Amino acid sequence: MKKLIIIGSGPAGLTAAIYSARARIETVIVEGLLPGGQLTTTTDVENYPGFPASIDGYSLVLEMRKQAERFGTVFVSGDVKFASLVEKPPSLTLETGEVLQAAAIIIATGASARYLGIASEQKLRGKGVSACATCDGALYRDVPLAVVGGGDTAMEEALFLTRFASRVTIIHRRDQFRASKIMAERVQSHPKISIVWNSAVEEVLGAAADKVTGVRVRNLITSALSDIPVGGLFLAIGHKPNTDAFKGQLDMDETGYLIAKNTRTNIAGVFAAGDVQDSVYRQAITAAGSGCMAALEAQRYLESLVQ
Ligand code: FAD
Ligand code: NAP
């Protein structure tokens, strides 16, 4: 049996490992299908403290990984398919069938942005298609941009993008926003933002240029197609936390985010850190910060077992 297993190798899991391994706790990270997490899918990270000239996402998590390894963290390739958390000790079953047990567990499985799922969108991900305006917005200066979605995130993303874009078009599938009134009003009164109602993105244009050049939009009432020239497309249609393996055992909100108090879940010895328990901030620095908190909480819990 291991002392501590951390599920997930993004900023939250890696930071937790730096703290726990440095505290001489035997620490194992199960990496998941995306070693390094969401940051490996982006280029410049300009808002992580300590890198004034920016750092690419892959290098940032690689440095975190080296730091965790330096203190003895062991990395296991694999994806947790099933967790039995109420048992003592809790156990995790990987996709290979291998079962791991640990005295304490930190869940840092992150959240995945929802995408439309159309082929052209997948092809141009990272080449003008993004799901994070805070992260990638500054890369698109003085070009028109589009945002898909009608919730608060779409409003926030659109307003944020007006700092850089020449114009922002919100494409929404209905004729009214889901967003709070105040956010919707801010968007609707913004001189740089226009709204295309009752419409869905049919195709992201630019495959030949290998970068986004526009979007083909279908009006859902008339079925008419129209092309909007844009240099970037930002999806803001919600996030899905990676919590399927823990359903029925851990408290979650209605969208599947883990509910944790100071990283402690409803099961003693099971902690949650990073985007998997944060539907609001969803940043590398906040994920790393809660990873630190979870490691300190796990350390306290493990110490309580030997008293
Ligand atoms: P993640 O990074 O999502 O990592 C989750 C980890 O869990 C992964 O390693 C995955 O393999 C693993 N995992 C998932 N399910 C399982 C399972 N069942 N079993 C085992 N492992 C599992 N934030 C910033 O602060 N600045 C930026 O510039 C920035 N740019 C971004 C650009 C893009 C394109 C995206 C998508 C996000 C960006 N973010 C940025 C947000 C930032 O990446 C996230 O907030 C951060 O990565 C969250 O860290 P995390 O460790 O909680 O989760
Ligand atoms: P959300 O409220 O679930 O909104 C998602 C939006 O995307 C909806 O408008 C939805 O359309 C649209 N959508 C979903 N799937 C789609 C698809 N396949 N194609 C096209 N459009 C699609 O998600 P969110 O905006 O990320 O917000 C999540 C939570 O965080 C909310 O509770 C929100 O209030 C909160 N939040 C608050 C703030 C703030 O207070 N400042 C900021 C951000 C987020 P429909 O409307 O037609 O369903």
Side-chain angles (χ1 to χ4, degrees):
M1 185 178 75
K2 314 290 180 198
K3 267 275 183 283
L4 173 66
I5 294 180
I6 297 166
I7 314 174
S9 55
L14 291 170
T15 305
I18 292 166
Y19 274 78
S20 59
R22 190 165 175 273
R24 302 268 188 274
I25 295 167
E26 180 197 18
T27 301
V28 172
I29 284 192
V30 181
E31 293 190 274
L33 298 178
L34 187 61
Q38 294 171 60
L39 280 187
T40 62
T41 67
T42 189
T43 50
D44 290 347
V45 177
E46 294 181 330
N47 52 10
Y48 199 87
F51 300 94
S54 91
I55 180 167
D56 74 273
Y58 183 81
S59 302
L60 178 58
V61 284
L62 188 62
E63 294 300 319
M64 292 183 194
R65 184 190 169 112
K66 284 187 204 156
Q67 203 170 345
E69 277 173 333
R70 176 183 157 205
F71 298 114
T73 304
V74 172
F75 287 79
V76 172
S77 304
D79 206 44
V80 172
K81 286 290 171 215
F82 179 75
S84 186
L85 300 174
V86 276
E87 285 170 25
K88 289 289 171 245
S91 67
L92 306 172
T93 307
L94 305 188
E95 82 285 11
T96 53
E98 186 184 354
V99 177
L100 301 173
Q101 287 187 313
I105 288 176
I106 295 175
I107 298 170
T109 49
S112 308
R114 291 185 204 277
Y115 283 81
L116 298 168
I118 54 179
S120 53
E121 167 204 59
Q122 297 303 317
K123 205 167 175 185
L124 290 163
R125 259 172 84 164
K127 296 168 181 172
V129 173
S130 169
C132 180
T134 323
C135 324
D136 296 333
L139 306 175
Y140 303 95
R141 289 177 191 270
D142 303 319
V143 291
L145 298 172
V147 173
V148 183
D152 279 319
T153 301
M155 305 300 110
E156 267 194 357
E157 303 271 86
L159 289 165
F160 181 77
L161 289 171
T162 58
R163 298 178 192 197
F164 316 104
S166 55
R167 171 137 220 94
V168 177
T169 303
I170 298 179
I171 301 160
H172 183 40
R173 63 184 178 184
R174 292 189 292 130
D175 64 357
Q176 74 188 72
F177 287 137
R178 174 179 297 276
S180 54
K181 208 163 184 271
I182 187 161
M183 295 293 283
E185 278 170 5
R186 267 185 216 156
V187 156
Q188 284 168 295
S189 62
H190 199 290
K192 265 190 172 181
I193 299 178
S194 49
I195 301 155
V196 177
W197 300 106
N198 298 310
S199 295
V201 172
E202 183 106 340
E203 188 183 346
V204 188
L205 307 173
D210 209 27
K211 63 174 189 183
V212 171
T213 56
V215 283
R216 182 156 299 155
V217 167
R218 181 178 293 281
N219 183 299
L220 297 172
I221 294 170
T222 64
S223 289
L225 287 174
S226 57
D227 290 353
I228 306 171
V230 292
L233 175 67
F234 287 81
L235 285 314
I237 59 171
H239 273 72
K240 184 188 180 305
N242 300 319
T243 52
D244 287 354
F246 318 112
K247 280 205 173 116
Q249 301 178 71
L250 293 181
D251 289 347
M252 298 178 189
D253 71 12
E254 64 285 352
T255 43
Y257 282 92
L258 297 183
I259 296 172
K261 185 166 189 327
N262 288 340
T263 75
R264 296 188 300 271
T265 70
N266 56 303
I267 299 180
V270 179
F271 305 88
D275 281 13
V276 75
Q277 49 87 61
D278 170 18
S279 61
V280 179
Y281 302 107
R282 300 189 303 229
Q283 297 295 300
I285 187 65
T286 48
S290 65
C292 157
M293 289 164 64
L296 296 178
E297 289 290 337
Q299 190 180 334
R300 265 184 221 150
Y301 171 78
L302 290 168
E303 281 164 3
S304 77
L305 295 181
V306 290
Q307 279 162 11

